[in-house]
Amino acid sequence: MDDSKQYDYMFSSGIVPTDISIPTNKKIKDKNIDGKSKVRLFNEIKQIRKDKKDDNLKRLRSSNTISDLHDNEYNKNHTIQDLVNNIQDSNMHTVLIRLTRLNNLLYTGEVNANQLLNYNIISILSHYLHSNELSITIESLRCLSNIATGDHSQSYQLLSLSTILIQLLNTSNVQVKEECCWLIGNIAGDCDICREGLYITEGIVKGLIEMLFLSMDVSINSHNKIAAWALSNLIRGRTPARIILDYAPLDSFITLLGINDLQLLSEISWVLAFLSAKSDFVISSNKALHIVNIIFQLLDRIDIISDQLIPILRMLSNFLCICGNLNLDVDLLIKFFDKYTNASNDSALIKESLRITSQILESQDNNMKEYIKLNSHLCVNLYSSFLSGYYDLRRDTIAIFRLFFSGKLPGNYYSEEFIDEV
């Protein structure tokens, strides 16, 4: 077994090694770091690597339809230069039409953002951010947000707008603030250099947090979700936890876990998942245990099983690492095992749930393990995961049975192959 697979096996199985060399290009300065902390550092690296594959790191922005807005001049032009030049016009109605068309072309991929950069598009659009026409400002921000979904060179150039973005975040118009959050989130989703360029600019983080907690009626507002998404992009990578916690205490984020909106819960959970994996994030084990119980209660009341639960499970896993010895409500544990280790659910969710299962069982004594084995559907669900055919799930399932369920297995439905593996 090569090193990377060996470490994946150890960590997903709940084995906490006390002396390992973590396979990463990052250097860990503190060689005396304890095993639990190593798990947290490993989880942080693993989360970042996985999350870069997510489609929602950067998000394209569409505009309102312009089918009723006819632009004869545009139909005569076919070059990128003409498209950019025609945006500059003294008639603001014409400018709006052409900005909206440009944004839709960016959204559909018909226009390449790199080509636009050759014609000073960022400078032109930034000029319109100061427009007295609200619709012009909003459409310019949407164009810039779509440009920010491109490669590094585009995101780097957009960092020059940080000062303007702070001014716009301080305006009274919520829609302008929301579009700023879109743009900041897309820039932050690019790389650590872009994230640092944003958070060292005084006012960016403060503005995002104010948007997050502004008017929490999520049934009619979307700005909270966009602000949370932007913060989750900003806090990933090498961004220190203090960058966020200096402006909002941890408890203020934990309070948001009571919101009855799965999308916002998912975004807040990403923020907390990354925060809790940072080396400068320090809380007591009792505080972590309190948060773990809140998360278990949250998972118990959620009826929908979807990939939006993955960040909640990642967050739970990180706080479990901080807790150490776990004194948890056994009824909540059984409900969790029965609900989230069911192989009929998404395989990615099952994998996250198996990691948590391993962490929990590791902290329980033999009597509690036996009680869980006999009073939950965990063994049945684990066996279903084994039968699913996914290599990772089979491996993790076998590891859990070997480590925590030694002795006679309940029921007589296990295959000879499975019994031999265990």
Side-chain angles (χ1 to χ4, degrees), residues 78-126:
H78 302 285
T79 68
I80 296 294
Q81 185 173 6
D82 288 335
L83 183 64
V84 174
N85 288 341
N86 285 339
I87 293 174
Q88 304 173 80
D89 195 282
S90 59
N91 186 309
M92 289 297 100
H93 180 69
T94 301
V95 170
L96 177 60
I97 293 172
R98 293 172 180 173
L99 283 173
T100 304
R101 191 181 295 279
L102 172 62
N103 191 38
N104 284 335
L105 290 170
L106 285 164
Y107 180 76
T108 59
E110 295 175 63
V111 168
N112 186 295
N114 266 330
Q115 294 174 297
L116 290 172
L117 295 182
N118 295 329
Y119 299 100
N120 206 27
I121 188 64
I122 293 179
S123 177
I124 294 169
L125 292 173
S126 65

Side-chain angles (χ1 to χ4, degrees), residues 363-407:
S363 68
Q364 306 301 318
D365 60 30
N366 290 333
N367 290 334
M368 183 60 73
K369 291 175 192 174
E370 191 67 21
Y371 181 85
I372 291 171
K373 179 166 67 173
L374 296 176
N375 291 277
S376 73
H377 297 107
L378 178 58
C379 290
V380 176
N381 290 346
L382 290 174
Y383 183 53
S384 296
S385 297
F386 176 83
L387 297 177
S388 68
Y390 292 103
Y391 169 75
D392 286 349
L393 297 187
R394 289 171 63 96
R395 177 198 63 191
D396 295 349
T397 299
I398 291 297
I400 290 174
F401 268 100
R402 284 176 177 168
L403 288 168
F404 307 118
F405 291 134
S406 57

Side-chain angles (χ1 to χ4, degrees), residues 115-290:
Q115 294 174 297
L116 290 172
L117 295 182
N118 295 329
Y119 299 100
N120 206 27
I121 188 64
I122 293 179
S123 177
I124 294 169
L125 292 173
S126 65
H127 169 75
Y128 287 124
L129 295 180
H130 299 286
S131 173
N132 292 326
E133 298 287 338
L134 182 63
S135 56
I136 298 289
T137 300
I138 289 172
E139 208 58 48
S140 299
L141 283 168
R142 286 175 175 169
C143 287
L144 290 166
S145 292
N146 283 345
I147 290 172
T149 61
D151 58 27
H152 296 311
S153 62
Q154 296 158 28
S155 298
Y156 292 154
Q157 292 191 46
L158 289 167
L159 284 173
S160 63
L161 302 177
S162 296
T163 302
I164 301 176
L165 290 176
I166 294 170
Q167 295 171 4
L168 294 176
L169 280 172
N170 289 324
T171 62
S172 58
N173 188 279
V174 175
Q175 192 174 2
V176 170
K177 291 172 178 279
E178 183 175 319
E179 295 300 336
C180 285
C181 291
W182 277 107
L183 178 52
I184 292 168
N186 277 338
I187 297 173
D190 188 87
C191 64
D192 280 316
I193 294 175
C194 287
R195 284 186 278 276
E196 184 175 1
L198 288 170
Y199 71 68
I200 64 173
T201 306
E202 186 175 354
I204 291 287
V205 177
K206 180 175 179 287
L208 291 178
I209 289 175
E210 287 176 351
M211 272 293 282
L212 173 61
F213 292 97
L214 177 68
S215 181
M216 291 303 298
D217 188 350
V218 294
S219 62
I220 59 175
N221 297 321
S222 60
H223 59 264
N224 315 91
K225 301 168 191 176
I226 306 306
W229 165 75
L231 279 170
S232 72
N233 274 357
L234 190 61
I235 194 59
R236 67 179 63 235
R238 295 197 299 265
T239 305
R242 60 176 174 77
I243 293 301
I244 303 295
L245 297 179
D246 282 352
Y247 290 97
L250 178 63
D251 284 344
S252 62
F253 290 100
I254 299 302
T255 301
L256 293 181
L257 296 179
I259 294 292
N260 188 28
D261 183 281
L262 186 55
Q263 185 181 351
L264 180 56
L265 282 173
S266 179
E267 300 298 352
I268 292 297
S269 297
W270 276 128
V271 173
L272 289 168
F274 283 112
L275 279 175
S276 56
K278 301 294 181 181
S279 59
D280 65 329
F281 179 83
V282 180
I283 62 171
S284 68
S285 58
N286 286 337
K287 178 73 171 180
L289 181 59
H290 173 67

Side-chain angles (χ1 to χ4, degrees), residues 1-13 395:
M1 184 182 298
D2 62 42
D3 286 346
S4 62
K5 288 185 177 179
Q6 180 182 5
Y7 291 122
D8 276 346
Y9 175 83
M10 293 169 70
F11 282 101
S12 63
S13 302
R395 177 198 63 191

